[in-house]
Amino acid sequence: MRCGPWAALAVGLLHFCLAQANFAPHFFDNGAGSTNGNMALFSLPEDTPVGSHVYTLNGTDPEGDPISYHISFDPNTRSVFSVDPNFGNITLVEELDREREDEIEAIISISDGLNLVAEKVVILVTDANDEAPRFIQEPYIVLVPEVSEGSLGSQELLEELISDPFSSTSRLRGADVVFSVTTTVTINVEDVQDMAPVFVGTPYYGYVYEDTIPGSEVLKVVAIDGDRGKPNHILYRLMNGSDGAFEINETSGGISVLQSPAQLGREVYELHIQVTEISSAGSPVAQAMIPVTIRIVDLNNHPPTFYGESGPQNRFELSMYEHPPQGEILRGLKITVNDSDQGANAKFNLRLVGPGGVFRVVPQTVLNEAQVTIIVENSAAIDFEKSKVLAFKLLAIEVNTPEKFSSTADIVIQLLDTNDNVPKFTSHYYIARIPENTLGGSNVVAVTAVDPDTGPWGKVKYSIYGTGSDLFLIHPSTGLIYTQPWASLDAEGTSRYNFYVKAEDMEGRYSLAEVFVTLLDVNDHYPQFGQSIQEKTMVLGTPVKIEATDQDAEEPNNLVDYSITHAEPANVFDIDAHTGEIRLKNSIHSLDALQNITPNGDYTWSLQVQAKDRGSPSFSTTAVLKIDITDTETLSRGSMAAFLIQTKDNPMKAVGVLAGVMAIVVAITVLISTATFWRNKKSNKVQPVRRVLRRRPSPAPRTVRIEWLKFRRAKTATKFMLKEDPPNENCNNSSAGITMPPRAPAPPPPPRMAPRMATQWKVPTVSGSLTPQQPQQSSKPKTLGSPIQSSLVSELRQKFEKKSVDNKAYF
């Protein structure tokens, strides 16, 4: 190899050393038959037209920097190709001729601006059948003595007559075409020593293997005298190109290697051999020169080897934080791989063996030597909490050799923790149940959150918030929730509390859980009667009811049982323990039976009733109930009295019934007035105005006036009655013999209108009032002024007035 390519390689190695901080680019090796890559095993037909795009250099840079391509040749040889530095397109710029040059050596390089990687490639030129033989003149019959002056020798004559002395086969338009021509040439020549030596068996290629011993013959060059009649003796001589590595036997032409293969500095040696004819007199007559190519053939006896910064190394360690960005290069690893073999024996693949999809290695295919780059592929899988150490094996295995030599290196990555986890509660919600009488500062429930991060990142701080959290506190470190020291819980006021608990790490990453606190009811309320002394009226056969309420929140604490604790005389009443209804014994059916056992004979009893809850411990309270007893026969003497007795305990019921009656009367009146209005409008006449005649003035204009509960001391409620006035004279269906009330004032005369054939309608006038019935007008007087009825009416009036004052309702 000449000094030019070595200088380029030296420059490339210098750039490589200076760019250690930046990873070097590399070519893709796509193998034989590919039209892009690093021109490995690339061949080109000799008939390829000049200007053709024959190949594309292709490579990449680990950092993704822009790359450029270059191609160079030995200064003593032709520059056969040119390359586009940006796209790598290689173009043929010189015509090829296999007979003159069967292979082309070039140096291709790739650069990212800081690093330059150069590779030496050999492009083989293949033969093409591009010329057909032809004869110039026919027939050929020559009689030329070799010694005659001015005549041509036999060799010159043949070269003159035939352009191509060989028959060959070429491919034309996709089919095999044989170019051939034949002729007969008759030459009678007498030999003369006028021809130079001729080499036999060209071209000459020799090979030196790694096991070749120094002094061994590599190949033999054979030359003969071109004059066949009387050939001269041939001597061989090595002219140049051996660099002292080879020698030739001057008589036999055998070429021997003088050094061991390991000492040979080049892969290819181009030797120039000169042969000289020696005449019988011992003087040189003619000479010839021929090149000889000797290749140093590599034996596949070196496996790939990994190197660190200090030499061969089979274990590499690195510390890095978890979850690095995807595509990041592990710059802490300085790994170089090398195979000392040559050519195809030095081609091998790289791959990582271990958890799949976490990292990838670049390059994946190496020729001779490369710097190894490991890139992050899956950031999520690099998790300190899952695995603190990631271990891989970096495998280098040969590609195209039978031996498939390989080697491995251990890659151990120690992961460092980061704060990449949120504290998580062991449950999404927590439920606690505590008694309502729990003292302040008492424990309620403990919550737990776990942060898998290590160190200070794994420490959790707890806090609570929310509308229901005012009565509670939480320990910031343990997560124990307890009541405020001053908290007073009451299930009757608020029985359930709901708030949120927050778990937070030192950088503010947090999660939430919900807490539900339920207060368990404690029996801390006594049953309460509405009044401690109550009065009720009982009708024979109908119970009266007494009721107490318990303010506790839950059963059985708020369930009340009733009992009669004291009665004089006893054994007169029964009480329902659950409802509080009090009724007479089944053996008592009349007032007469009661009169015999009543102390004063007035049908009045006083009972002491106890209300007791079902809690534990149980609480009770008592009330005094005064009961006046009457019977239905007494009540039947007056419907109003019966009604008042029935509604004695519920005066609002009486008010509701009377209000309903009034509403019905008003609705009927409105319907009648509306119907009359539309009927008069259709008849286009003005009818007399409907009037309501009253005996007594009233501030509210009503068609019917009702006096409600107008009591007199000497009169009972049954003396109220509704009196209707007879219709006026305008009523169409009025009957004779009825006393007419005073007439209403006459309405103004209607306007004059055209006579109509339709019958005119008259509007009836209705008048009525609610007045006490006079004794002399009643055909059947009733004496209802008994003391019982008077007392019932008086009691009803008192309760009604009290209800009205309490409810601020005025009638």
Side-chain angles (χ1 to χ4, degrees), residues 135 137-142 158 161-162 181-187:
F135 293 99
Q137 298 176 357
E138 288 185 290
Y140 298 103
I141 303 173
V142 180
L158 292 176
L161 296 177
I162 305 174
V181 62
T182 60
T183 189
T184 301
V185 179
T186 303
I187 302 175

Side-chain angles (χ1 to χ4, degrees), residues 25 27 57 65-70 83-88 109-113 115-117:
F27 284 105
L57 294 179
D65 294 335
I67 56 178
S68 60
Y69 303 92
H70 308 278
V83 64
D84 186 329
N86 296 323
F87 300 99
S109 59
I110 182 172
S111 173
D112 60 356
N115 301 299
L116 178 69
V117 178

Side-chain angles (χ1 to χ4, degrees), residues 35 44 48-57 87-92:
T35 60
L44 192 66
T48 301
V50 175
S52 299
H53 172 212
V54 297
Y55 198 88
T56 301
L57 294 179
F87 300 99
N89 295 329
I90 293 180
T91 304
L92 180 65

Side-chain angles (χ1 to χ4, degrees), residues 581-732:
E581 289 186 350
I582 301 174
R583 62 178 68 246
L584 291 170
K585 295 280 188 179
N586 294 333
S587 58
I588 301 176
H589 302 288
S590 64
L591 292 177
D592 295 336
L594 288 172
Q595 188 174 10
N596 296 330
I597 61 176
T598 305
N600 299 325
D602 55 357
Y603 308 107
T604 302
W605 267 264
S606 293
L607 307 178
Q608 186 178 29
V609 180
Q610 181 189 63
K612 182 178 182 181
D613 62 30
R614 300 182 187 179
S616 178
S618 179
F619 296 106
S620 63
T621 186
T622 60
V624 175
L625 177 62
K626 295 181 179 179
I627 301 178
D628 293 335
I629 303 176
T630 185
D631 58 1
T632 56
E633 181 179 355
T634 304
L635 292 177
S636 62
R637 299 175 184 175
S639 58
M640 181 60 70
F643 174 74
L644 295 176
I645 289 295
Q646 294 176 359
T647 59
K648 176 182 178 181
D649 295 330
N650 190 6
M652 296 305 297
K653 180 178 179 181
V655 175
V657 172
L658 294 178
V661 173
M662 294 177 65
I664 293 174
V665 173
V666 172
I668 294 174
T669 303
V670 172
L671 290 175
I672 294 174
S673 300
T674 303
T676 302
F677 172 77
W678 285 106
R679 183 181 62 190
N680 293 340
K681 186 176 181 180
K682 290 181 179 180
S683 62
N684 201 19
K685 290 185 178 181
V686 178
Q687 299 296 330
V689 178
R690 178 187 179 195
R691 296 178 181 274
V692 178
L693 300 180
R694 302 178 180 82
R695 293 185 179 183
R696 297 178 183 179
S698 175
R702 300 176 181 271
T703 58
V704 178
R705 183 173 179 270
I706 301 176
E707 294 186 4
W708 170 248
L709 298 179
K710 184 176 181 182
F711 296 96
R712 296 180 180 179
R713 294 182 179 179
K715 303 297 179 179
T716 63
T718 57
K719 293 182 180 183
F720 291 90
M721 63 175 294
L722 179 65
K723 180 179 179 182
E724 294 187 357
D725 294 334
N728 61 14
E729 61 183 1
N730 292 330
C731 183
N732 291 337

Side-chain angles (χ1 to χ4, degrees), residues 453-465:
D453 292 320
T454 60
W457 293 319
K459 293 183 179 180
V460 179
K461 180 181 179 181
Y462 299 94
S463 60
I464 58 175
Y465 70 94

